[in-house]
Amino acid sequence: MKRWMMGRKAVVLLSGGLDSATTLAIASEQGYRTYALTFRYGQRHEIEVDAACRVAKAVGVIEHLVTEIDLRTFGGSALTGDLEVPKDSGASGASEGIPVTYVPARNTIFLSFALAWAEVLGSSDIFIGVNAVDYSGYPDCRPEFIDAFEKLARFGTRAGVEEGRPFRIHAPLIDLTKAEIIRRGLELGIDYGITRSCYDPDASGAACGECESCRLRLAGFAAAGAEDPAPYQVT
């Protein structure tokens, strides 16, 4: 048996938000020994990193790495620069076109780090919580992107070329609505109160309730017939 076929290790990208927490729980349910990877990439706040640590501990992972990348060097996003985070984009929370909260090539960068770690671990499985239904329109959340990166993984690594390791990028949420994601997570016992999705929380970590991410999240909980247990700012 080849080395990469022994065991079921998986690298899971964990942001601390609702989607990535659900993805981690799904990977664990499927029997993978999970290795969580979180990035401190120059985002507006540390709250999501703290949330990722809580989620990793609650779900249970073999190892959790928090890696430093400074994407503020490039800017180009309201999440890594001085642009204002848009608020109140409509009842559904979805914007038209690619919003200013898109971070240039973020998922490409994150998946590249995950691929490097997976190659070292002897794993052929990477999980990412992207969604192409109730989402912000980011280009690196679409099935075409996931398929393209999976091909890159096969041809751009020593493990893929010399060992024939069939890297797979798992995106279990990609065709689910936000309500379906939440229901799935609740079935798996996720405490969504420890997750954070807001683009512009206050110092305590309470969500603004008005940015695109908050509105998508709140609409998802409403459609799922559940209450969001995460804290929100009182207005």
Side-chain angles (χ1 to χ4, degrees), residues 4-81:
W4 54 261
M5 296 177 69
M6 300 173 62
R8 289 169 59 87
K9 297 178 182 178
V11 176
V12 183
L13 291 173
L14 183 65
S15 70
L18 182 154
D19 292 340
S20 69
T22 308
T23 299
L24 175 60
I26 289 172
S28 296
E29 182 201 34
Q30 292 179 356
Y32 288 94
R33 299 171 61 202
T34 53
Y35 292 75
L37 182 58
T38 299
F39 294 94
R40 184 176 286 112
Y41 61 90
Q43 59 266 58
R44 295 171 68 94
H45 54 78
E46 286 283 309
I47 290 164
E48 65 180 29
V49 176
D50 295 337
C53 293
R54 292 194 297 268
V55 171
K57 183 177 180 179
V59 176
V61 299
I62 302 299
E63 187 175 356
H64 181 207
L65 293 183
V66 179
T67 300
E68 304 269 353
I69 312 173
D70 187 9
L71 297 185
R72 290 187 68 88
T73 299
F74 309 119
S77 170
L79 300 189
T80 57

Side-chain angles (χ1 to χ4, degrees), residues 127-152:
F127 281 76
I128 182 171
V130 293
N131 175 259
V133 181
D134 291 335
Y135 77 127
S136 298
Y138 299 155
D140 52 2
C141 290
R142 300 172 301 146
E144 298 92 332
F145 169 75
I146 297 300
D147 291 343
F149 196 92
E150 194 169 83
K151 182 178 292 185
L152 177 152

Side-chain angles (χ1 to χ4, degrees), residues 93-113:
S95 64
E96 294 184 5
I98 300 173
V100 297
T101 51
Y102 162 70
V103 179
R106 179 174 59 180
N107 283 342
T108 302
I109 295 167
F110 288 1
L111 280 172
S112 295
F113 273 71

Side-chain angles (χ1 to χ4, degrees), residues 137-223:
Y138 299 155
D140 52 2
C141 290
R142 300 172 301 146
E144 298 92 332
F145 169 75
I146 297 300
D147 291 343
F149 196 92
E150 194 169 83
K151 182 178 292 185
L152 177 152
R154 291 199 303 270
F155 293 109
T157 58
R158 181 174 65 182
V161 172
E162 292 187 352
E163 301 176 29
R165 191 184 305 179
F167 286 103
R168 183 179 175 194
I169 311 300
H170 301 259
L173 314 183
I174 201 158
D175 59 357
L176 302 182
T177 66
K178 191 67 72 177
E180 289 171 334
I181 293 169
I182 291 167
R183 292 192 191 102
R184 185 78 177 96
L186 293 175
E187 290 173 357
L188 294 172
I190 295 177
D191 174 11
Y192 284 123
I194 65 175
T195 68
R196 296 293 183 271
S197 303
C198 181
Y199 291 150
D200 195 24
D202 65 17
S204 72
C208 71
E210 297 180 344
C211 70
E212 189 168 47
S213 182
C214 280
R215 296 178 72 83
L216 285 167
R217 177 173 172 138
L218 288 169
F221 271 97

